[in-house]
């Protein structure tokens, strides 16, 4: 008889990014509160990675839960082609007020990958509708924009995309302009922009997440965008991970003087409550689809487009994002990370450390860096044994917590990261 969640799960489920033959049994979680997850066997874990970067206000937040509950009693879903509803209208109105001034329209989808897919299709059809042959996209090496085919195409080609390589469209990849490489990368971009077929430049602003939290400055990004803008190339900011506070401001693009043409959101959009994606566009992008010719329509949609319950969760999350305490927590966590990072300078076992806002990453000195480095499982299990959920990217461990995390909980996370450093020193 299989009684536990973990045992029952292994009989029926297939988990993401998991080699099911060798993976340990999944941990059964029964509830969450604040920054803590509670398991069926009585353990507690500080969710230091916000459950894959989505949870920004804490688990089971009462304000979001109440708003979702109210919406479920009113309208659970309605087709969004030919119909609309209050949560979708209000969310678009409020979100656009927070974004760069040129953002004028909201297109709803289901998740981060689809938000990116929508942006890519909008950018390509923008040129198609005008009869211009602009079909190439520029993206950063090491980038990750999602797991659908368009999103995979503009992401790093790796072991994750290898089985699908022949189905992905060609992209012009540009190295990330990390400190010391800025001028070289700007020169490479200038060379690329001599081409006549560049349609758009897509990027994760300031931080490339799955690349190992690789970080670069707002100043160089601004210069890259300026050069693309001068050549008429469309700008796509993928803020699926960086949006809603991760970089220390509400949006990473708040650091820039330049404005994107298209922006992509998901993850923290609903406070981590449920699935929803958003792609926002400038008025010029939107206008390029307006025509008496129906073939210029944007033919894209999802069954759950603008789901009222998901929109209600997002509205509740925005209530919290707009509070002064939200910004205060960003500053508190950012300062705490910076103070801890200073203690890592020159320490044995530390190859590098990086911090932008509430994101802190430590790269351990273990020789060759790899997502599949054997150290990964040791670090992961060490953290779990100490009541902290961290998901190392090979030999890189990062903390990206819910903003409700307490100072004491942060100190516990830092303590586990220090134990990880000791493990690395002893092993290597």
């Amino acid at each position: 008889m299989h009684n536990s969640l973990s045992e029952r799960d292994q009989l029926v489920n297939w988990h993401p990014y998991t080699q099911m033959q060798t993976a340990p049994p999944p941990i059964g979680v029964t509830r969450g509160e604040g920054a803590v997850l509670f398991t069926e066997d009585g353990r507690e874990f500080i969710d230091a990675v916000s459950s894959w970067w989505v949870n920004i206000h804490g688990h089971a937040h009462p304000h979001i839960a109440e708003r979702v509950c109210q919406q479920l009693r009113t309208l659970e879903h309605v087709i969004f082609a030919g119909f609309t509803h209050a949560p979708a209208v209000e969310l678009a109105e409020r979100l656009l007020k927070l974004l760069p001034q040129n953002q004028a329209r909201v297109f709803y989808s289901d998740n981060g990958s689809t938000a990116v897919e929508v942006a890519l299709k909008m950018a390509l059809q923008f040129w198609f509708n005008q009869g211009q042959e602009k079909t190439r996209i520029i993206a950063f090496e090491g980038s990750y924009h999602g797991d659908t085919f368009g999103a995979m195409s503009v992401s790093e080609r790796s072991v994750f995309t290898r089985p699908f390589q022949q189905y992905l469209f060609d992209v012009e990849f540009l190295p990330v302009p990390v400190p010391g490489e800025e001028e070289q990368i700007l020169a490479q971009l200038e060379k690329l922009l001599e081409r006549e077929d560049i349609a758009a430049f897509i990027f994760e602003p300031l931080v490339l997440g799955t690349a190992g939290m690789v970080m670069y400055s707002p100043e160089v990004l601004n210069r890259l965008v300026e050069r693309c803008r001068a050549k008429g190339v469309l700008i796509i900011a993928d803020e699926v991970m960086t949006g809603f506070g991760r970089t220390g401001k509400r949006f990473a693009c708040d650091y820039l003087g330049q404005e994107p043409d298209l922006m992509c959101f998901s993850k923290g959009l609903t406070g981590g409550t449920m699935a929803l994606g958003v792609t926002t566009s400038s008025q010029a992008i939107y206008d390029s689809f307006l025509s008496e010719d129906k073939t210029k329509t944007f033919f894209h949609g999802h069954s759950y487009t603008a789901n009222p319950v998901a929109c209600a969760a997002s509205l509740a999350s925005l209530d919290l994002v707009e509070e002064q305490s939200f910004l205060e927590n960003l500053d508190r966590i950012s300062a705490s990370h910076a103070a801890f990072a200073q203690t890592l300078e020159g320490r044995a076992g530390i190859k590098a450390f990086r911090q932008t806002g509430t994101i802190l990453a430590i790269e351990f000195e273990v020789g060759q860096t790899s997502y599949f480095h054997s150290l990964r499982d040791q670090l992961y299990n060490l953290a779990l044994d100490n009541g902290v959920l961290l998901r190392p990217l090979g030999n890189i461990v990062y903390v990206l917590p819910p903003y409700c995390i307490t100072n004491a909980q942060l100190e516990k996370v830092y303590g586990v990261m220090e134990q990880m450093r000791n493990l690395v020193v002893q092993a290597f």
Side-chain angles (χ1 to χ4, degrees):
M1 184 69 177
H2 302 280
N3 294 317
S4 73
L5 284 175
S6 178
E7 291 171 326
R8 289 161 57 197
D9 180 279
Q10 291 178 86
L11 297 176
V12 292
N13 285 330
W14 189 344
H15 290 262
Y17 284 94
T18 301
Q19 176 44 258
M20 298 300 292
Q21 180 164 311
T22 58
I27 297 168
V29 173
T30 54
R31 68 183 184 93
E33 182 178 346
V36 179
L37 297 168
F38 299 85
T39 69
E40 62 181 339
D41 58 4
R43 290 181 291 171
E44 299 179 11
F45 295 102
I46 297 173
D47 188 355
V49 297
S50 299
S51 286
W52 249 342
W53 318 346
V54 302
N55 188 289
I56 59 175
H57 305 299
H59 292 283
H61 195 286
H63 178 65
I64 300 176
E66 180 58 30
R67 188 69 182 264
V68 167
C69 183
Q70 291 173 4
Q71 185 59 46
L72 280 168
R73 295 193 183 102
T74 306
L75 177 67
E76 82 302 336
H77 188 62
V78 63
I79 184 173
F80 206 60
F83 291 82
T84 191
H85 52 82
V89 174
E90 185 182 350
L91 177 57
E93 291 171 340
R94 290 179 59 183
L95 187 58
L96 290 174
K97 287 179 181 178
L98 296 176
L99 297 179
Q101 290 185 357
N102 73 328
Q103 296 301 287
R105 296 285 171 165
V106 170
F107 191 97
Y108 290 104
S109 61
D110 297 349
N111 56 65
S113 295
T114 57
V116 168
E117 205 84 8
V118 165
L120 292 171
K121 291 176 70 174
M122 284 180 173
L124 293 170
Q125 192 175 341
F126 171 86
W127 297 113
F128 180 87
N129 281 357
Q130 299 176 64
Q132 297 195 46
E133 289 285 332
K134 292 183 182 286
T135 58
R136 288 280 184 162
I137 309 291
I138 299 174
F140 281 135
E141 294 175 357
S143 57
Y144 172 79
H145 294 287
D147 292 333
T148 51
F149 275 84
M152 278 196 294
S153 293
V154 295
S155 300
E156 174 77 5
R157 306 303 167 86
S158 66
V159 65
F160 303 126
T161 60
R162 192 176 300 154
F164 319 107
Q165 194 71 26
Q166 62 181 313
Y167 306 108
L168 306 182
F169 58 76
D170 290 333
V171 170
E172 301 300 328
F173 285 105
L174 191 69
V176 183
V178 295
E181 303 289 328
E182 293 94 340
E183 296 305 321
Q184 179 183 341
I185 307 311
L186 282 161
Q188 290 186 46
L189 177 64
E190 293 277 14
K191 187 69 176 174
L192 275 178
L193 292 175
E194 292 176 3
R195 300 178 53 144
E196 297 294 324
D197 61 349
I198 302 297
F201 170 37
I202 186 171
F203 53 84
E204 298 164 84
L206 309 189
V207 186
L208 276 70
T210 61
M213 301 299 166
V214 173
M215 300 176 184
Y216 61 104
S217 73
E219 291 76 20
V220 71
L221 179 56
N222 223 37
R223 294 171 69 188
L224 292 168
V225 172
E226 282 178 346
R227 281 158 173 75
C228 288
R229 182 76 71 212
K231 293 290 187 177
V233 171
L234 298 179
I235 308 302
I236 304 173
D238 177 358
E239 292 234 31
V240 169
M241 187 270 279
T242 57
F244 304 99
R246 289 301 178 195
T247 62
K249 292 182 182 287
R250 285 196 174 100
F251 303 100
C253 285
D254 290 346
Y255 287 93
L256 306 181
Q258 295 290 316
E259 296 176 330
D261 298 290
L262 295 151
M263 300 182 75
C264 309
F265 303 97
S266 188
K267 292 195 182 291
L269 175 62
T270 67
T273 303
M274 56 200 308
L276 185 66
V278 154
T279 305
T280 63
S281 82
S282 66
Q283 190 67 35
I285 298 288
Y286 175 77
D287 286 347
S288 72
F289 290 81
L290 301 180
S291 175
E292 295 297 322
D293 179 358
K294 290 189 176 181
T295 65
K296 292 188 176 182
T297 301
F298 186 55
F299 292 110
H300 187 102
H302 302 264
S303 301
Y304 283 95
T305 293
N307 174 256
V309 184
C311 289
S314 296
L315 286 166
S317 179
L318 279 187
D319 291 341
L320 303 174
V321 166
E322 291 172 346
E323 290 180 355
Q324 182 61 32
S325 59
F326 178 84
L327 297 176
E328 291 171 355
N329 276 328
L330 298 187
D331 291 342
R332 174 180 62 86
I333 295 168
S334 299
S336 181
H337 283 353
F340 175 64
Q342 288 180 355
T343 70
L344 302 173
E345 189 73 51
R347 302 287 297 280
I350 304 293
K351 180 178 180 180
F353 57 87
R354 298 179 284 276
Q355 187 225 339
T356 297
T358 69
I359 306 168
L360 173 66
I362 300 174
E363 187 170 350
F364 292 114
E365 184 66 73
V366 295
Q368 186 65 36
T369 297
S370 168
Y371 184 91
F372 296 103
H373 198 287
S374 60
L375 179 66
R376 184 267 175 201
D377 290 345
Q378 296 178 61
L379 298 177
Y380 177 70
N381 290 325
L382 184 155
L384 290 181
D385 289 344
N386 286 273
V388 175
L389 172 56
L390 293 166
R391 281 183 61 87
L393 299 165
N395 63 310
I396 299 169
V397 64
Y398 65 88
V399 54
L400 198 156
Y403 307 138
C404 65
I405 193 169
T406 66
N407 291 337
Q409 288 169 334
L410 279 172
E411 289 302 320
K412 182 172 181 178
V413 173
Y414 301 149
V416 168
M417 297 171 94
E418 178 63 22
Q419 289 185 53
M420 289 177 167
R421 187 190 69 83
N422 291 334
L423 185 154
V424 169
V425 170
Q426 293 169 13
F428 296 90

